[in-house]
């Protein structure tokens, strides 16, 4: 059985900076749903850039379907076009991701490169995608002038329109209103059941069980500190505290003062046995 | 909840990864050409954005860092202006050696110092290359490229040879050396000084407030511009499936530049609003007010002495 991604002992540093990923190794199978967890600055977004073949590791290697990801290999045929079509990447900052004058052109950018698709087919896909995400009314607007949440939905649409089979999502739910969030979760769920591989970087521990079955945890020292099923990792408060994903919270109820770990910032209920 | 459209469901099976995506006939999927220009551009982006945003060199302990900004600006700009009046090679070469020494003493990274120095004089060399030829600059030929032996081209009599002349070489090397000196002085000044101090220094030297405020916004604007350009480039690669025709590529570049300016304009507008909201009035304010020491006067004196000496050549 071949792995979709085989990440072997990679290290990465931005030019002139210290390492931002250290000795990271893991495998991803077809159809898996994986969450990438870690405090701010632990390297989640960077790792997603590496998986998308935008940056390349300084040491170690990333193999995609047995093919090593290098600056050269993503420019060879047939691997390059296949890789770029099958792997979709939602950037953390959607502002950075949109570069066309209108939403419609934004969605047409990738499909236009597939010469076998007719204009009607492309237009049909654009309409379907916009309808599905509930943003049909934005079709003629300029992406740069949309609200932050609207930009995120447009960026997602511009990726889904070429029917990728792997999605790399960087904080997909951040900044979305409840309606858009539930549209997104529903779509991801349906795609996953149809065989899509999902790799999501997130801080939203409450949504985590809806987004992933397996979790990778990056520590603040930029190494991979845990890799396993979501439930035990969520239950492992020592681990989550040690990577600063949750915080110890001290407070008083009447005479009782106590400390317990938290992953919501405000509003919580718990019982006292003392 | 809506059903996904049939086409959106992931279709590829592991075996298909060895083939092109459907709808992409073999002949239309040309392997993308690798371009040296692209990595050169990336290298330059790193250099320039490093210069624009990185205050790390300014925070190091080094010679130039210890000089008060006002004195440093006056001294280095003074040498820069003087270097444009130097007409022989020796004083220029001395200036250049002095720049290298200052860079080393101020712990400016060799990567930044030499990087900029290699790029800029290279381009200026390309520009002045024709000036070395006898058809542009009269002089004694030192290297003959082509003898025409008085050939005629239609009604025109060609010069009897094409050669590199000594005075041509002299003009070209002076130009390259002078560019190198000017560029290194600017690199030295900007990389050993925090931006806010640099702007403050300019104000202290009597540069009008409006002018400094514009420079200040320009530095922030350029920084936003370069970051955006880098991100748009990545976003585009991420969604590019095949390499496209040169014509498509060109029209994309035009559209990309449009998007870049729309975005930078908006972002830098926001940066300005953020500055206003935190009380910016156009005047540069510093954490600790600069005070001059003996060493600042010594530096200025040495710079003035150097200029006076070199201008006598
Ligand atoms: N373009 C860049 N140039 C230099 N350093 C960078 C760049 N982008 C990120 N870094 C650094 O790399 C480290 C990891 O950043 P990254 O964006 O991958 O973190 P993250 O886990 O995604 O954080 P967050 O939860 O805030 O999104 C950080 O220390 C950051 O300062
Ligand atoms: Mg991130």
């Amino acid at each position: 059985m071949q792995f979709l991604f085989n990440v072997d002992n990679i290290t990465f540093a931005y030019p002139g900076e210290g390492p931002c990923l250290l000795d990271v190794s893991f495998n991803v199978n077809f159809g898996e749903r994986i969450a990438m967890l870690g405090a701010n600055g632990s390297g989640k977004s960077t790792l997603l850039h590496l998986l998308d073949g935008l940056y390349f590791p300084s040491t170690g290697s990333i193999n995609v379907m047995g093919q090593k990801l290098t600056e050269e290999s993503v420019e060879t045929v047939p691997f390059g076009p296949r890789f770029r079509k099958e792997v979709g990447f939602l950037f953390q900052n959607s502002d950075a991701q949109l570069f066309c004058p209108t939403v419609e052109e934004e969605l047409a950018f990738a499909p236009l490169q597939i010469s076998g698709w007719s204009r009607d087919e492309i237009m049909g896909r654009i309409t379907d995608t916009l309808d599905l995400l509930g943003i049909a009314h934005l079709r003629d607007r300029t992406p740069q002038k949309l609200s932050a949440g609207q930009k995120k939905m447009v960026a997602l649409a511009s990726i889904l329109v070429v029917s990728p089979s792997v999605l790399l999502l960087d904080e997909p739910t951040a900044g979305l209103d409840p309606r858009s969030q539930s549209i997104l979760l529903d779509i991801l769920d349906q795609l996953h059941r149809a065989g899509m591989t999902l790799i999501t970087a997130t801080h939203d521990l409450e949504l985590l069980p809806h987004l992933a079955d397996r979790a990778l945890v990056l520590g603040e020292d930029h190494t991979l500190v845990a890799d396993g099923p979501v439930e035990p990792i969520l239950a492992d408060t020592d681990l989550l505290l040690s990577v600063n994903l949750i915080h110890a919270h001290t407070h008083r109820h009447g005479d009782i003062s106590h400390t317990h770990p938290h992953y919501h910032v405000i509003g919580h209920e718990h019982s006292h046995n003392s | 909840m809506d059903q996904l459209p049939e086409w959106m469901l992931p279709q590829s099976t592991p075996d298909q990864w060895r083939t092109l995506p459907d709808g992409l006939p073999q002949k239309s999927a040309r392997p993308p050409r690798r371009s040296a220009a692209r990595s050169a551009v990336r290298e330059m982006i790193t250099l320039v954005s490093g210069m624009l945003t990185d205050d790390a060199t300014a925070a190091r302990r080094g010679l130039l860092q210890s000089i008060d900004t006002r004195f440093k600006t006056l001294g280095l700009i003074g040498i820069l202006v003087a270097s444009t009046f130097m007409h022989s090679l020796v004083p220029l070469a001395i200036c250049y050696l002095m720049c290298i020494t200052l860079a080393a003493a101020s712990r400016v990274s060799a990567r930044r110092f030499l990087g900029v120095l290699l790029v800029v004089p290279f381009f200026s060399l390309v520009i002045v290359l024709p000036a070395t030829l006898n058809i542009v600059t009269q002089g004694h030929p030192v290297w003959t490229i082509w003898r025409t032996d008085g050939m005629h081209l239609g009604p025109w009599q060609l010069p009897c040879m094409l050669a590199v002349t000594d005075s041509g070489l002299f003009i070209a090397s002076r130009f390259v050396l002078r560019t190198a000196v000017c560029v290194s002085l600017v690199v030295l000044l900007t990389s050993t000084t925090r931006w806010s101090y640099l702007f403050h220094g300019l104000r202290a030297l009597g540069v009008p407030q409006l002018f400094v405020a514009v420079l200040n916004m320009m530095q922030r604007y350029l920084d936003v511009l370069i970051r955006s350009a880098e991100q748009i480039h990545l976003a585009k690669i991420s969604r590019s499936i095949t390499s496209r025709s040169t014509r498509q590529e060109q029209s994309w570049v035009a559209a990309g530049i449009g998007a870049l300016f729309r975005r930078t304009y908006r972002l830098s507008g926001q940066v300005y609003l953020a500055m206003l909201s935190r009380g910016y009035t156009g005047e540069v304010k510093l954490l600790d007010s600069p005070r001059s020491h003996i060493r600042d006067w010594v530096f200025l004196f040495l710079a003035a002495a150097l200029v006076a000496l070199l201008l006598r050549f």
Side-chain angles (χ1 to χ4, degrees):
Chain A
M1 172 74 202
Q2 191 152 42
F3 293 115
L4 172 60
F5 286 104
N6 164 238
V7 177
D8 187 17
N9 214 13
I10 56 167
T11 308
F12 177 82
Y14 287 96
E17 314 254 333
C20 129
L21 289 170
L22 254 182
D23 298 332
V24 173
S25 302
F26 61 92
N27 295 319
V28 178
N29 277 314
F30 254 93
E32 270 196 289
R33 264 194 331 173
I34 299 183
M36 217 175 263
L37 305 177
N40 293 137
S42 55
K44 303 178 295 294
S45 303
T46 308
L47 184 50
L48 290 179
H49 277 79
L50 285 149
L51 291 179
D52 196 35
L54 298 176
Y55 300 151
F56 301 90
S58 353
T59 62
S61 64
I62 300 180
N63 286 283
V64 180
M65 293 305 294
Q67 168 79 53
K68 187 171 173 188
L69 265 192
T70 61
E71 220 152 332
E72 290 79 33
S73 75
V74 291
E75 295 191 346
T76 54
V77 170
F79 177 74
R82 173 61 78 178
F83 177 76
R84 293 286 179 219
K85 179 195 166 284
E86 298 301 340
V87 182
F89 181 17
L90 182 74
F91 286 44
Q92 180 166 14
N93 172 4
S94 340
D95 218 355
Q97 189 165 11
L98 304 170
F99 49 73
C100 296
T102 67
V103 169
E104 184 181 272
E105 284 171 74
E106 200 68 63
L107 265 72
F109 179 81
L112 276 178
Q113 302 177 47
I114 301 186
S115 51
W117 291 359
S118 66
R119 189 192 141 78
D120 288 346
E121 184 174 357
I122 294 176
M123 282 309 199
R125 280 181 175 234
I126 293 178
T127 308
D128 287 353
T129 314
L130 291 174
D131 285 343
L132 184 71
L133 296 179
I135 49 172
H137 56 292
L138 302 181
R139 189 168 184 144
D140 298 316
R141 300 276 302 275
T142 303
Q144 282 91 18
K145 289 187 183 159
L146 300 177
S147 80
Q150 289 173 326
K151 280 183 201 151
K152 184 144 271 178
M153 293 304 263
V154 171
L156 185 67
S158 71
I159 295 161
L160 288 179
V161 72
V162 281
S163 48
S165 58
V166 180
L167 280 184
L168 307 173
L169 305 168
D170 202 346
E171 303 281 354
T173 54
L176 295 185
D177 62 24
R179 187 190 73 110
S180 302
Q181 241 181 53
S182 88
I183 292 181
L184 174 69
L185 288 179
D186 179 66
I187 292 171
L188 293 183
D189 193 53
Q190 292 190 49
L191 287 170
H192 171 63
R193 279 189 272 118
M196 172 90 76
T197 309
L198 296 172
I199 303 182
T200 312
T202 186
H203 290 125
D204 196 335
L205 298 185
E206 298 185 52
L207 282 182
L208 198 58
H210 304 281
L211 284 168
D213 309 304
R214 175 181 156 199
L216 301 172
V217 183
L218 284 171
E220 287 186 303
D221 57 353
H222 309 298
T223 60
L224 191 62
V225 293
D227 175 0
V230 162
E231 315 283 304
I233 287 188
L234 274 185
D236 189 345
T237 41
D238 289 339
L239 170 73
L240 297 182
L241 275 172
S242 76
V243 297
N244 284 330
L245 261 178
I246 54 178
H247 57 121
H249 184 86
T250 307
H251 57 174
R252 300 180 61 84
H253 306 265
D255 295 340
I256 313 158
S257 163
H258 72 151
T259 301
H260 67 123
H262 256 277
Y263 50 77
H264 10 240
V265 179
I266 49 167
H268 59 274
E269 288 170 27
H270 57 92
S271 58
H272 287 285
N273 303 324
S274 48
Chain B
M1 202 39 101
D2 284 354
Q3 207 61 37
L4 296 187
E6 192 63 33
W7 60 259
M8 196 181 278
L9 304 176
Q11 290 125 355
S12 87
T13 61
D15 304 328
Q16 286 178 334
W17 275 71
R18 264 163 255 308
T19 61
L20 279 169
D22 292 338
L24 210 58
Q26 190 73 48
K27 61 177 179 337
S28 80
R30 288 161 296 108
R33 287 162 303 245
R34 292 190 48 73
S35 78
R38 202 160 83 196
S39 40
V41 166
R42 202 180 291 166
E43 184 69 13
M44 278 176 61
I45 285 180
T46 328
L47 275 173
V48 175
S49 68
M51 258 183 70
L52 279 174
T53 56
D54 176 20
D55 268 352
T57 315
R60 283 186 205 148
R61 298 179 66 85
L63 179 68
L64 284 178
Q65 287 90 334
S66 69
I67 307 288
D68 181 279
T69 311
R70 293 163 295 176
F71 291 75
K72 180 163 54 177
T73 312
L74 199 60
L76 293 183
I77 299 278
I79 299 176
L80 191 147
V81 172
S83 77
T84 59
F85 291 104
M86 294 173 190
H87 295 295
S88 52
L89 293 182
V90 180
L92 283 171
I94 293 178
C95 277
Y96 188 52
L97 282 178
M98 182 207 64
C99 289
I100 295 179
T101 320
L102 281 178
S106 312
R107 302 172 56 195
V108 176
S109 80
R111 197 180 126 79
R112 165 159 329 159
F113 189 72
L114 296 177
V116 177
L117 280 188
L118 286 182
V119 174
V120 179
F122 175 76
F123 283 114
S124 56
L125 188 65
V126 173
I127 297 170
V128 295
L129 223 41
T132 60
L133 298 177
N134 62 334
I135 43 177
V136 181
T137 312
Q138 300 288 314
H140 291 293
V142 286
W143 179 44
T144 308
I145 301 170
W146 183 40
R147 283 189 184 286
T148 57
D149 296 322
M151 222 164 62
H152 285 265
L153 190 69
W156 294 289
Q157 155 107 51
L158 288 183
C160 68
M161 61 177 175
L162 186 66
V164 174
T165 64
D166 55 354
S167 38
L169 269 184
F170 172 73
I171 289 179
S173 27
R174 190 174 66 190
F175 183 80
V176 171
L177 205 54
R178 191 179 283 160
T179 321
V181 168
C182 292
V183 172
S184 0
L185 284 169
V186 172
V187 171
L188 281 177
L189 180 61
T190 55
S191 61
T192 60
T193 319
R194 286 170 203 274
W195 284 101
S196 47
Y197 282 75
L198 186 58
F199 293 131
H200 187 268
L202 289 177
R203 279 293 287 135
L205 293 176
V207 180
Q209 184 201 344
L210 181 66
F211 190 74
V212 174
V214 168
L215 273 185
N216 195 345
M217 281 317 291
M218 224 157 78
Q219 180 247 337
R220 284 166 218 262
Y221 181 82
L222 263 180
D223 175 42
V224 175
L225 186 84
I226 285 174
R227 275 169 203 280
S228 304
E230 206 174 358
Q231 282 179 328
I232 288 189
H233 183 215
L234 285 184
K236 191 211 153 204
I237 300 181
S238 169
R239 279 199 275 151
S240 294
I241 296 172
T242 53
S243 93
R244 301 176 308 157
S245 69
T246 315
R247 166 110 57 73
Q248 277 175 317
E249 219 28 60
Q250 280 163 352
S251 73
W252 186 83
V253 168
I257 290 177
L260 183 61
F261 279 103
R262 277 195 301 279
R263 231 173 68 195
T264 345
Y265 178 70
R266 232 174 47 83
L267 277 176
S268 56
Q270 286 173 0
V271 169
Y272 180 64
L273 290 182
M275 289 165 70
L276 282 185
S277 120
R278 282 189 268 155
Y280 177 71
T281 55
E283 197 55 85
V284 193
K285 295 282 173 22
L286 296 180
L287 224 42
D288 15 60
S289 50
R291 215 179 304 141
S292 56
H293 300 271
I294 301 276
R295 59 166 183 265
D296 300 324
W297 291 102
V298 172
F299 173 80
L300 202 58
F301 174 76
L302 287 179
L306 181 84
V307 167
L309 195 71
L310 292 183
L311 282 179
R312 289 186 170 276
F313 264 89

